[in-house]
Amino acid sequence: MTTTHDAGRSGDGATAAVITPEGRTLPGYDPRAPLLQVEDLHVEFHTRDGLVSAVNGVSYTVNEGETLGVIGESGSGKSVTAQAIMGIVPAPGRVASGSVRYRGVDLLRLKDDQRRAVRAESIAMVFQDALSALNPVFTVGFQIGELFRKHRGLRRSDAKKRAVELLDLVKIPDAKNRVNAFPHQFSGGMRQRVMIAMALALDPDVLIADEPTTALDVTIQAQVMDLLAELQQERQMGLILITHDMGVVADVSDQIAVMYAGKVVERSPVHPIYRQPAHPYTQALLRSIPRVDRKGTALDVIEGLPPNLAHIPPGCSFNPRCPYAREKCRVDEPPLYDVAEHRWSACHFWEEVMDS
Ligand code: SF4
């Protein structure tokens, strides 16, 4: 991998350090530490409506070569968690507490320039709306090449060659010529491939894809997901795949984190969660996936709306929408119960849900 952070232990056994492109070192780097570890993260927004707790104690880990699917409706906090990892929480939001560790380095404690260096080299993000993420007045080749010129010091001609290689990698036909095209000359699916190419340019260890296929039709969605999965396997990256659709992540994820009202309400390896969900919200999300064997029948919807995050209901935040809810749910906030090997659910009645 052509990163500028040197993994390895120093001779005296001390923790080695990340070397940024500027030659600075980041203390605490440990190549044996998990690739990315989010712990008890809280992000809040001060609004006219009051304090909005958009992310409320989120924890998850992503290892190399592993895909974590993060699922939930709009406003569940999944994208804000990703923004906190990247250090791009928009104002008036702020990370109130918690940690985001990349190989042991707490990104939230870094200075801005150190943070930018890690973000440029090690953690990349693909956004939902490729058209607004790309600059309309520059060719895609120029925009990809800019990364190589800025971060690798390549000459313009060499940077363009690398841009062609990357467009080839993401399977854009006729890459040699398409490198000179502008973003509006690409279809939605091809633009998303360009975004993936840009995200991969500096060979990141972690890729965060935030609803990467939402704006695409179903066949193109599948192609882009296949491409992401293939590249992730090839490069052994950690991939965080954010979506509201459990159908999209079923085939490509290793782990699933289901989020509701700023919290992870269920965490599980992928297969058990689809076979036997342990939280009523996960169950409801699964029932809302369109199925070919139920042609002609109405799709199940999740009754009610997610809560206003400035006024989260007491007890379990899902209780106003939950068919299993009873008095305890309106009073006691459920912890994450250990429900099986590597499985957790924030539901007081998880056994009943799993048996249903
Ligand atoms: Fe439903 Fe109660 Fe479980 Fe919350 S704790 S998900 S309200 S049964």
Side-chain angles (χ1 to χ4, degrees):
M1 209 177 242
T2 57
T3 54
T4 51
H5 44 265
D6 291 342
R9 310 285 295 177
S10 58
D12 60 2
T15 302
V18 178
I19 311 295
T20 70
E22 294 82 18
R24 283 190 279 270
T25 59
L26 300 182
Y29 181 76
D30 180 353
R32 294 170 308 193
L35 182 60
L36 187 78
Q37 196 166 31
V38 177
E39 264 183 1
D40 200 22
L41 188 71
H42 291 254
V43 181
E44 50 190 38
F45 289 76
H46 289 269
T47 70
R48 262 186 252 154
D49 246 11
L51 187 68
V52 170
S53 300
V55 175
N56 212 344
V58 166
S59 301
Y60 56 63
T61 300
V62 187
N63 293 304
E64 50 275 270
E66 188 178 271
T67 298
L68 172 74
V70 181
I71 296 163
E73 291 163 286
S74 297
S76 60
K78 51 195 194 314
S79 295
V80 181
T81 305
Q83 289 166 349
I85 294 171
M86 295 297 289
I88 54 170
V89 174
R94 67 176 196 105
V95 175
S97 59
S99 63
V100 175
R101 292 182 191 280
Y102 163 73
R103 291 285 191 222
V105 176
D106 188 350
L107 303 183
L108 302 180
R109 306 278 172 269
L110 296 181
K111 292 184 197 138
D112 284 352
D113 58 341
Q114 295 173 325
R115 180 79 186 254
R116 270 197 299 277
V118 174
R119 194 165 67 214
E121 295 289 335
S122 307
I123 307 177
M125 189 157 174
V126 176
F127 296 91
Q128 177 179 347
D129 184 359
L131 195 53
S132 54
L134 291 165
N135 191 325
V137 301
F138 294 112
T139 64
V140 298
F142 179 87
Q143 293 183 61
I144 299 172
E146 183 75 356
L147 293 165
F148 291 114
R149 287 194 296 279
K150 192 169 164 203
H151 295 277
R152 297 287 182 266
L154 294 194
R155 286 178 313 168
R156 187 171 286 251
S157 55
D158 292 331
K160 189 168 175 182
K161 261 188 222 153
R162 298 295 301 273
V164 173
E165 285 166 18
L166 274 170
L167 292 182
D168 253 340
L169 181 77
V170 296
K171 301 187 171 70
I172 289 190
D174 194 19
K176 252 190 191 150
N177 290 315
R178 299 293 280 160
V179 77
N180 297 316
F182 291 89
H184 72 271
Q185 295 173 306
F186 287 79
S187 67
M190 289 295 154
R191 268 198 299 270
Q192 203 51 282
R193 286 170 192 261
V194 171
M195 288 299 297
I196 295 170
M198 287 181 80
L200 296 181
L202 301 181
D203 213 359
D205 294 331
V206 180
L207 181 65
I208 302 175
D210 188 1
E211 303 273 10
T213 60
T214 300
L216 308 176
D217 67 43
V218 180
T219 17
I220 308 296
Q221 249 182 30
Q223 290 169 7
V224 171
M225 289 309 301
D226 288 348
L227 174 69
L228 269 174
E230 190 184 315
L231 292 169
Q232 183 257 348
Q233 277 304 306
E234 252 174 51
R235 297 174 167 231
Q236 285 297 291
M237 292 179 295
L239 175 62
I240 300 177
L241 195 51
I242 297 170
T243 174
H244 59 275
D245 184 347
M246 285 201 81
V248 166
V249 288
D251 293 335
V252 295
S253 298
D254 301 294
Q255 303 283 331
I256 299 283
V258 180
M259 288 191 65
Y260 188 78
K263 285 179 182 272
V264 172
V265 294
E266 181 163 2
R267 256 169 65 195
S268 170
V270 68
H271 297 301
I273 205 171
Y274 282 83
R275 256 196 328 265
Q276 194 183 27
H279 194 282
Y281 181 56
T282 315
Q283 212 173 48
L285 286 173
L286 283 170
R287 286 194 182 127
S288 63
I289 300 175
R291 286 172 41 175
V292 279
D293 59 342
R294 288 171 61 191
K295 244 178 162 175
T297 58
L299 277 180
D300 284 328
V301 292
I302 309 175
E303 297 294 340
L305 292 170
N308 177 340
L309 295 176
H311 307 284
I312 296 175
C316 172
S317 56
F318 190 56
N319 84 71
R321 307 172 77 186
C322 180
Y324 298 84
R326 56 202 79 167
E327 194 46 34
K328 183 179 172 65
C329 308
R330 289 180 263 280
V331 181
D332 294 338
E333 188 180 341
L336 265 181
Y337 293 101
D338 204 334
V339 302
E341 205 184 354
H342 307 304
R343 294 197 65 187
W344 296 268
S345 165
C347 175
H348 294 306
F349 303 104
W350 58 269
E351 282 168 305
E352 187 182 327
V353 177
M354 290 180 88
D355 286 345
S356 68

